[in-house]
Amino acid sequence: MQKTQDYILDYTRLAAQRQYTGLVREHLARTHETPPLALVHSFGCQQNAADGEKLRGMLAEMGYGFTDALEEADFIIYNTCAVRENAEKRVFGTVGALKQYKRQKPGLLIALVGCMTQQQSVADRLKRSYPHVDIVAGADAWASLPERIYQALCQGKRSIKTEGEEPDTIVEGLPTRRAGWPKAWVTVMYGCNNFCSYCIVPYVRGRERSRRPEDILREVEGLVGEGYKDITLLGQNVNSYAGGITFAQLLKEIDAIPGEFRIRFMTSHPKDCTRELLDTMAACRKVSRHLHLPVQSGSDVILERMNRKYTVERYKELIAYAREKMPDLSLTSDIIVGFPGETREDFRQTLDLVQEVGYTALYTFLYSRRGGTKAENFPDPVPPEEKSRWFQELLEVQGRIGEGYMQRQVGSTLRVLVEGPGKGEGKLTSRSDQNIIVEFTGDAGLAGQFAEVEIVSARNWALEGRLIP
Ligand code: 5AD
Ligand code: SF4
């Protein structure tokens, strides 16, 4: 349980870090005629993307400009992901290739932060075998990053995290450079206590800790005031938000903020998804009609071994209740294929569930063994080729279901938020309340506005519409 809030730090009051930020800024102003450029790349989930915006905010305070071109960068920061092994391999490969860049450009700074480098074994490996990497910090590096950058940039010293150096905290008041207008992310809680047996997140993101409701409300009010229209509340498990009020209560308070905007949230764990939350969703006008409720498997045996703490039956009851309250609800889910010990019969039950629920879209993953998790040592007899076949089968089944869902939208009228120009002359891209991409012809000035669109045709991943004047 999250009892006290002594884990919350205020960035604007971290005197030493403010000082380092100032020293870096002075150093850069002295040594550069034009602002040096930083490349910030985030791998993985939306939480990481949101953290990337804060990294940019901190760097902007130090005087950095930004680029997406590797050749132009004076500072490269990779914000890493550890959820699957492939993501880690890719980062090691990418960072390895930076060695020659650094030779050509000796002043280049290279930093790795995030979930992957939170693992001390990874930080140690980078220290030992990747000497061109200057800074290695973890997923909660906020309160140490200015100092690390100062050391690397101004003193020419490597700054590599050591075990226990960066405790679980929440840092309020970080500057943020948002990139997604009219959409914005607002993290409401960090960490995870669930320890699903396949998942590395609780080990790298630490224990659950919630932001204060007043800080969240102030941030959302500010965003609405700045013209943001689509606010996604983020947390590894938003339903266990515990900032003194429940997540459902938090939703109600955000819904009551004046202005026309939309509220989304992710991710919800089925074990904590209460009827109170579903009732609240249904009652709140601004909360979008989309629920991402990862089921992971359609087999009770596998769910038990995944430590998910719900049954297929209970999951289906939740879905039925949600649909009764919100008939136009769009449901999406995560599914892992090839969990250790999963049999063809278990997998068949997953296919059955997917067919029965009728998801709008699925995020499907092949199981990836992660060191330190419970499932690491579970016997895993099914060969990878067989798992790949199952995976393909699931994609095909969902492909048909998704297509059917999209076709059924033809002829309906959807309320969409226009995000900006689409592909093609005069086209706009937008998203419906159900989080479906809708393209239509219209004036570019509509960006950031809500519109009513009649759906005229459907493709696999997007709907085509006609603006209703
Ligand atoms: N292997 C495969 N998929 C995983 N996920 C989490 N850990 C693993 C793993 N070890 C998936 C889950 C989760 C999503 C974010 O990533 O489906 O919901
Ligand atoms: Fe991982 Fe489970 Fe926590 Fe999600 S709820 S982050 S899958 S441990």
Side-chain angles (χ1 to χ4, degrees):
M1 259 341 260
Q2 310 156 35
K3 275 187 238 82
T4 61
Q5 295 186 338
D6 53 4
Y7 51 81
I8 301 181
L9 307 174
D10 181 347
Y11 188 65
T12 60
R13 294 188 185 184
L14 297 177
Q17 300 306 321
R18 305 305 299 150
Q19 216 174 350
Y20 286 120
T21 295
L23 290 171
V24 169
R25 193 171 47 229
E26 283 164 26
H27 177 92
L28 291 176
R30 242 192 346 265
T31 51
H32 290 75
E33 277 173 19
T34 54
L37 300 179
L39 182 156
V40 180
H41 183 80
S42 294
F43 296 84
C45 66
Q46 288 178 324
Q47 179 61 58
N48 255 20
D51 286 352
E53 294 185 337
K54 294 189 178 123
L55 288 169
R56 282 199 188 89
M58 290 170 89
L59 294 177
E61 263 197 341
M62 292 173 189
Y64 280 98
F66 297 94
T67 179
D68 289 327
L70 205 63
E71 318 76 63
E72 285 181 0
D74 300 287
F75 189 1
I76 297 172
I77 296 199
Y78 288 132
N79 187 21
T80 60
C81 170
V83 170
R84 281 167 291 276
E85 194 186 7
N86 269 348
E88 290 201 356
K89 280 197 180 141
R90 209 147 27 101
V91 169
F92 275 120
T94 311
V95 172
L98 288 183
K99 198 167 186 169
Q100 51 151 334
Y101 268 108
K102 182 109 173 191
R103 262 196 222 116
Q104 292 158 6
K105 198 171 183 178
L108 175 70
L109 272 193
I110 300 173
L112 268 75
V113 302
C115 292
M116 176 178 160
T117 44
Q118 179 70 36
Q119 304 166 87
Q120 195 54 43
S121 58
V122 172
D124 293 344
R125 176 170 165 199
L126 288 164
K127 183 175 184 180
R128 218 174 33 242
S129 311
Y130 294 74
H132 58 294
V133 174
D134 303 286
I135 298 170
V136 177
D140 279 305
W142 312 110
S144 68
L145 207 55
E147 181 174 2
R148 292 195 191 283
I149 295 174
Y150 170 78
Q151 285 174 345
L153 185 74
C154 309
Q155 301 182 313
K157 283 201 288 203
R158 295 180 85 196
S159 179
I160 315 283
K161 76 180 266 287
T162 52
E163 190 76 66
E165 203 182 346
E166 293 168 348
D168 298 350
T169 52
I170 285 182
V171 183
E172 288 291 345
L174 284 165
T176 306
R177 270 255 173 151
R178 298 182 190 270
W181 181 87
K183 300 194 282 188
W185 288 305
V186 175
T187 305
V188 300
M189 51 119 27
Y190 294 81
C192 181
N193 291 353
N194 290 322
F195 292 93
C196 300
S197 62
Y198 50 82
C199 187
I200 200 167
V201 167
Y203 302 92
V204 291
R205 285 265 175 194
R207 295 293 65 72
E208 286 175 2
R209 51 218 189 270
S210 296
R211 292 179 68 197
R212 288 176 288 245
E214 57 271 29
D215 292 336
I216 298 168
L217 289 167
R218 201 178 322 116
E219 183 173 350
V220 176
E221 277 162 6
L223 290 167
V224 172
E226 288 169 42
Y228 286 90
K229 297 287 168 67
D230 184 305
I231 310 286
T232 302
L233 308 176
L234 289 180
Q236 241 72 48
N237 180 16
V238 287
N239 308 139
S240 54
Y241 174 78
I245 58 175
T246 65
F247 184 66
Q249 287 165 330
L250 180 69
L251 269 186
K252 265 185 218 156
E253 295 201 14
I254 296 176
D255 189 66
I257 294 174
E260 198 184 15
F261 64 98
R262 185 150 75 186
I263 308 163
R264 307 180 181 285
F265 57 89
M266 67 187 330
T267 295
S268 306
H269 193 307
K271 85 174 162 58
D272 302 311
C273 180
T274 57
R275 291 193 170 204
E276 182 203 9
L277 176 71
L278 297 171
D279 290 340
T280 305
M281 268 186 92
C284 288
R285 209 182 52 79
K286 290 171 187 153
V287 176
S288 79
R289 291 293 178 258
H290 170 218
L291 183 61
H292 183 60
L293 200 60
V295 69
Q296 313 295 359
S297 167
S299 152
D300 282 339
V301 178
I302 297 298
L303 287 176
E304 166 95 38
R305 301 183 57 225
M306 284 177 163
N307 192 29
R308 290 291 289 180
K309 303 195 174 85
Y310 54 83
T311 60
V312 174
E313 206 44 50
R314 153 130 170 95
Y315 183 86
K316 288 201 266 193
E317 277 165 24
L318 265 179
I319 300 276
Y321 186 79
R323 285 206 159 127
E324 182 194 320
K325 295 279 159 179
M326 294 168 280
D328 57 343
L329 184 69
S330 160
L331 282 160
T332 55
S333 192
D334 293 346
I335 288 189
I336 297 177
V337 175
F339 183 77
E342 184 177 15
T343 63
R344 174 75 208 176
E345 173 54 23
D346 294 315
F347 177 66
R348 197 193 53 74
Q349 292 177 14
T350 298
L351 290 178
D352 284 352
L353 178 73
V354 165
Q355 261 153 339
E356 194 176 328
V357 174
Y359 294 106
T360 310
L362 274 186
Y363 300 86
T364 45
F365 308 100
L366 267 173
Y367 171 73
S368 169
R369 183 187 299 274
R370 305 312 288 128
T373 61
K374 266 237 176 82
E376 185 189 4
N377 300 314
F378 288 180
D380 193 3
V382 177
E385 314 82 66
E386 180 70 2
K387 292 185 180 185
S388 294
R389 276 195 290 274
W390 295 357
F391 188 79
Q392 215 45 46
E393 211 175 318
L394 177 59
L395 288 188
E396 280 158 28
V397 166
Q398 177 56 34
R400 285 193 290 275
I401 296 170
E403 213 173 294
Y405 177 88
M406 297 296 260
Q407 285 300 340
R408 283 198 300 282
Q409 308 307 308
V410 175
S412 68
T413 297
L414 297 177
R415 176 176 174 265
V416 300
L417 173 63
V418 183
E419 294 183 350
K423 288 196 192 92
E425 188 71 22
K427 287 275 180 199
L428 297 174
T429 184
S430 69
R431 255 170 217 272
S432 74
D433 271 348
Q434 293 76 13
N435 208 25
I436 312 288
I437 299 174
V438 181
E439 298 199 321
F440 62 98
T441 303
D443 189 282
L446 286 173
Q449 293 184 32
F450 288 95
E452 298 276 319
V453 176
E454 185 195 340
I455 305 305
V456 292
S457 65
R459 274 168 284 156
N460 279 351
W461 52 274
L463 298 170
E464 184 74 30
R466 188 186 308 120
L467 180 67
I468 299 177

